[in-house]
Amino acid sequence: MKHILLVFSFFLISFSHAHDYFFAFAEVEYDEYNARVEATIVMTTHDFEAYLIKKNIISKELSFYKNDSIILKQVENEILQHFSLNSLSVGKLTMEGFETQLTGMIQIYLTAPILSPSEGLDIQFDLLMDDFKEQQNKLTFIYRDQKTSYVYLQNKRSQHIDFY
């Protein structure tokens, strides 16, 4: 009986905390040919949906709202409060769509027109950091086949990225 109680206790403890680490990843690429910046944000669907439910934006799985333009606009606004590209030469960032995957991840696609890459970008990427104190985000910036990675932490939510 002791062993069963011990196993049951261990089982409860292990599932009471889904995971210890929270990550979101973004890849941002300057597409010179189409004069725009393209971004993909990847994170766990469960964490993002829990975040949106807590914000009263959705009440069930995000995939149920795939054709609901009002909810999708609210989701976009929430994302853009925590993922932004700031530069005089960059236009408004817009969400093109998202895909939930069987792996439990969600990919969110964003684009923004860009006039000139001369001054670089200030990129804020603190998505989910207000709700998950252990949240760490990583961004990979791609320009002319050169990749540079940046880490975003609770105390480093925005960074300047030069094009050259």
Side-chain angles (χ1 to χ4, degrees), residues 87-103:
S87 171
L88 296 175
S89 63
V90 176
K92 184 180 183 306
L93 198 58
T94 57
M95 185 173 76
E96 301 294 336
F98 69 90
E99 291 179 313
T100 54
Q101 301 175 325
L102 295 176
T103 60

Side-chain angles (χ1 to χ4, degrees), residues 119-135:
E119 74 238 16
L121 298 169
D122 290 317
I123 300 181
Q124 172 194 353
F125 186 24
D126 62 354
L127 192 59
L128 303 178
M129 284 187 182
D130 292 337
D131 281 19
F132 302 109
K133 297 305 175 194
E134 300 299 319
Q135 180 75 24

Side-chain angles (χ1 to χ4, degrees), residues 11-76:
F11 179 79
L12 280 178
I13 291 169
S14 66
F15 283 100
S16 67
H17 195 286
H19 47 88
D20 292 329
Y21 303 100
F22 300 92
F23 291 97
F25 302 93
E27 186 173 278
V28 177
E29 183 170 6
Y30 171 49
D31 178 357
E32 288 181 277
Y33 183 75
N34 293 307
R36 68 183 187 179
V37 174
E38 300 172 344
T40 302
I41 300 172
V42 180
M43 67 193 113
T44 63
T45 305
H46 172 77
D47 290 345
F48 188 55
E49 287 173 340
Y51 174 80
L52 293 174
I53 289 169
K54 185 175 179 182
K55 298 278 186 179
N56 293 316
I57 295 172
I58 63 173
S59 60
K60 52 189 171 188
E61 292 178 4
L62 188 56
S63 59
F64 285 104
Y65 302 99
K66 196 100 171 158
N67 297 315
D68 187 331
S69 61
I70 294 170
I71 296 293
L72 292 177
K73 191 63 176 169
Q74 292 175 326
V75 170
E76 177 186 53

